[in-house]
Amino acid sequence: MSTVEDAQPIRRAHGTEPETTAAPGEPPTPTGPDAVWNRLGRKADLRAKAGLTRTVRTRAAAIDLAGNDYLGLSRHPAVLTAAAAALADHGLGAGGSRLVRGTTGVHERFEADFARHTGTETAVLYSSGYMANLGAAAALAGPVLLDAHAHASLHDAARLAGGRSATFAHNDLEDLEHRLRELRPALVAVESVYSVLGDAAPLRDIHALTSAYGALLLVDEAHGIGTVGPRGAGGVAAAGLAGDPGIVVTATLSKALGAAGGVIAGPAALRRHLHDTGRTFIFDTAPPPAVIAGAGAALAIARESDSARTELARRAARAAELLEVAAPAAGVLSPPAGDARAATGWAERCAAEGVAVGCFRPPSTPDHRSRLRITINTGIDAADFDRALDSVRAVR
């Protein structure tokens, strides 16, 4: 398996270490466009040697164990009908930012419905979950403490917010309390269901600690909305914490809801603050009404989809057993695959069998290990799903 030491050349390959300057008496480091492109080319070569080249591929026909459409709602007839109606009414795009011409009744209805669904006072829509996380961390200014496995957008948000930030060991309550005493953060950021290992955060215990130390708790529900909790209301609701004023919820609409966009939900005072000061809200074009209308229809279906959540859990348990990993909290799991080349080779062999899987490699993995990423989709025929899992195991 990869180790922390193995990751050292990876960090250099991604250019996260400072560029060296010429020693006294040596020629100056070349500058100008050619020097920039040559330097980037050398870094690309280093990434290729480490097995870290990323390739954009056109989506091909395959059994999809890579996408995040957990409940198969992206093609649900009611979802497509709602999106088509909004497309006819409002056109292709939103036409502007939320505060100019971008807000429609579709946006406002979704915000109200999402708030009701999650038990929060109010919600604010964004163009993506990434933008929502950036906006939330920036709005709740102050030191930020993050779970080491939290999504990249949360770590980026902490850096861009400009204040002090630190991490605590993944799901480690003792380390969390130690860091809370040390940093005294304004905000602690976690995921309800983590996107790499698929495990759940102990939200009740974390909330008890953040409350004791006077910090707000931000919970990214990207992989929890629609898949866990009462009527798919997410991990916060499952923990009995819905509507707690010390919790801010963020989410993307691109997972179980099969759409696109993001949301921040919490106390009404937060909404006012985001409208007045949130740069990722004020200066970004609103999400297209047709997409949000589809997401609204998907949310209504997900609310009544307990049987689909039961099937999701059954399929996830079978996948975990076959691939010899811990059973996930929702619909994502990541079997270890050795180094980056081993992971990409496994993924390519799956593709040759007509099965699409994800591939996690450093720096995308918080533990520096390369993995496949398997996501469960209850919209896939059960027999096809089982055959796909058998193929993934057979070509390991």
Side-chain angles (χ1 to χ4, degrees):
M1 294 295 183
S2 298
T3 64
V4 173
E5 288 73 24
D6 293 331
Q8 298 301 318
I10 292 167
R11 290 203 293 272
R12 287 194 292 272
H14 277 75
T16 56
E17 294 186 357
E19 295 291 334
T20 58
T21 56
E26 292 185 359
T29 301
T31 59
D34 287 345
V36 171
W37 308 137
N38 289 337
R39 184 169 67 251
L40 294 185
R42 291 193 298 272
K43 291 180 178 180
D45 291 341
L46 287 172
R47 290 195 298 271
K49 290 177 182 177
L52 297 175
T53 298
R54 264 77 172 167
T55 303
V56 177
R57 292 186 175 91
T58 302
R59 184 164 59 189
I63 299 174
D64 188 6
L65 302 187
N68 295 308
D69 192 10
Y70 294 126
L71 303 179
L73 295 179
S74 67
R75 293 182 177 275
H76 191 286
V79 171
L80 298 181
T81 297
L87 182 66
D89 287 344
H90 298 285
L92 182 61
S97 68
R98 291 290 310 279
L99 294 176
V100 181
R101 290 284 295 171
T103 296
T104 67
V106 172
H107 296 86
E108 293 183 328
R109 286 191 293 275
F110 184 90
E111 289 173 331
D113 194 24
F114 189 89
R116 284 192 297 271
H117 184 66
T118 54
T120 54
E121 274 193 282
T122 190
V124 180
L125 266 172
Y126 288 77
S127 60
S128 70
Y130 206 106
M131 295 295 279
N133 276 342
L134 294 184
L140 304 170
V144 181
L145 182 58
L146 307 103
D147 186 287
H149 284 206
H151 191 266
S153 59
L154 290 169
H155 287 272
D156 288 352
R159 287 194 292 270
L160 291 173
R164 295 170 60 203
S165 65
T167 61
F168 64 95
H170 177 53
N171 277 349
D172 187 325
L173 296 171
E174 184 177 344
D175 191 45
L176 170 58
E177 184 164 20
H178 171 73
R179 298 288 186 175
L180 282 166
R181 287 196 301 266
E182 180 181 75
L183 185 65
R184 292 289 173 173
L187 183 70
V188 173
V190 303
E191 292 186 69
S192 61
V193 176
Y194 284 92
S195 58
V196 176
L197 299 184
D199 55 339
L203 291 178
R204 290 188 65 84
D205 293 333
I206 291 173
H207 178 255
L209 286 173
T210 57
S211 297
Y213 286 88
L216 289 172
L217 175 60
L218 186 155
V219 181
D220 185 342
E221 292 270 27
H223 297 275
I225 293 295
T227 63
V228 299
R231 307 183 80 186
V236 173
L241 298 170
D244 189 288
I247 295 177
V248 173
V249 169
T250 63
T252 177
L253 313 183
S254 62
K255 304 299 192 282
L257 301 186
V263 65
I264 301 174
L270 176 61
R271 178 183 173 93
R272 181 70 272 161
H273 184 64
L274 292 170
H275 282 190
D276 288 345
T277 70
R279 296 177 68 83
T280 61
F281 177 83
I282 296 170
F283 298 108
D284 193 34
T285 297
V291 174
I292 300 306
L299 185 62
I301 297 165
R303 192 179 292 124
E304 306 301 326
S305 296
D306 285 344
S307 60
R309 280 182 282 278
T310 299
E311 176 64 8
L312 184 80
R314 185 197 71 78
R315 294 187 184 192
R318 182 172 188 275
E321 181 180 7
L322 282 176
L323 298 174
E324 301 175 327
V325 295
V332 58
L333 60 156
S334 300
D339 63 16
R341 288 190 183 85
T344 54
W346 190 3
E348 287 167 0
R349 292 190 296 274
C350 290
E353 295 294 319
V355 181
V357 298
C359 185
F360 272 174
R361 293 163 289 166
S364 300
T365 52
D367 56 2
H368 305 295
R369 294 183 177 183
S370 294
R371 304 171 178 274
L372 285 198
R373 186 169 187 262
I374 307 295
T375 51
I376 313 301
N377 183 338
T378 60
I380 297 171
D381 178 78
D384 288 341
F385 178 80
D386 288 342
R387 282 195 296 272
L389 280 184
D390 290 339
S391 295
V392 173
R393 183 178 63 170
V395 301
R396 190 168 193 164

